[in-house]
Amino acid sequence: MLTLDLPHHSTSYRYGGLAFFLAVAVILAALGFEHLGGYAPCPLCLMQRYAYYAGIPLLFVAMALVAEMPRLAAFIFLAVALAFLANAGLGVYHAGVEWKFWPGPDTCGTAQALPTSSTDLLSGLAQAHVVRCDAPAWTLAGLSMAAWNAIASLAIAVLALKAALLAAAARTD
């Protein structure tokens, strides 16, 4: 009897899929808060999105490769896990800035071009909307978006690491 080794039957594929769908859900929520909810992201918020922008397509590629090239898929899953582990650290740092545990970066505000005249200065001040990194724009259960991102990033890192370990252990015949 012929049996097909389809990637969706692989446990590694399933863990990678969970990581993928969680990452997609988190970045869609962040973009929804920004574009539908009107919550402007600060520079640290924008930095925390980099892992999602790189990790989502990489997770997709790794899932596509897991049946035919499990070692390569394992390497990609591992790279994604490390990226999201670093992102979890960035989320903890940002949450600590919001809770005043430590100071944030000096660049935590919207950069404005230098005015060339007093009229430019006054109009610039009237239109300026500074987004601060040290004040949470939204909280749920006492945790800011940065703290929730740290939790989600850690979960994605664990799922991607599990997918990497399972893919690395897979046999290629």
Side-chain angles (χ1 to χ4, degrees):
M1 180 173 165
L2 178 65
T3 59
L4 296 175
D5 185 25
L6 297 175
H8 62 273
H9 289 126
S10 160
T11 308
S12 176
Y13 183 89
R14 289 186 189 121
Y15 278 99
L18 286 172
F20 176 82
F21 285 112
L22 180 56
V24 168
V26 170
I27 197 63
L28 286 177
L31 292 169
F33 270 96
E34 178 182 354
H35 295 288
L36 301 175
Y39 291 92
C42 74
L44 284 176
C45 294
L46 293 173
M47 285 176 60
Q48 290 171 75
R49 293 181 184 183
Y50 297 161
Y52 294 93
Y53 295 149
I56 290 170
L58 287 174
L59 284 167
F60 184 82
V61 168
M63 290 168 55
L65 294 174
V66 78
E68 295 298 322
M69 294 187 265
R71 304 289 178 180
L72 180 56
F75 176 76
I76 295 170
F77 281 134
L78 180 61
V80 169
L82 293 173
F84 276 98
L85 186 60
N87 202 47
L90 183 58
V92 167
Y93 169 72
H94 188 184
V97 169
E98 292 173 335
W99 291 325
K100 313 293 189 257
F101 290 160
W102 42 74
D106 293 335
T107 60
C108 252
T110 304
Q112 299 287 329
L114 293 174
T116 56
S117 70
S118 60
T119 306
D120 289 344
L121 175 63
L122 292 176
S123 67
L125 288 175
Q127 296 173 1
H129 177 70
V130 176
V131 180
R132 300 184 53 89
C133 295
D134 61 355
W138 177 89
T139 60
L140 175 67
L143 298 177
S144 67
M145 284 189 253
W148 284 112
N149 176 61
I151 293 167
S153 291
L154 188 58
I156 294 166
V158 168
L159 290 168
L161 181 60
K162 182 72 173 175
L165 294 172
L166 291 168
R171 290 186 307 126
T172 55
D173 296 331

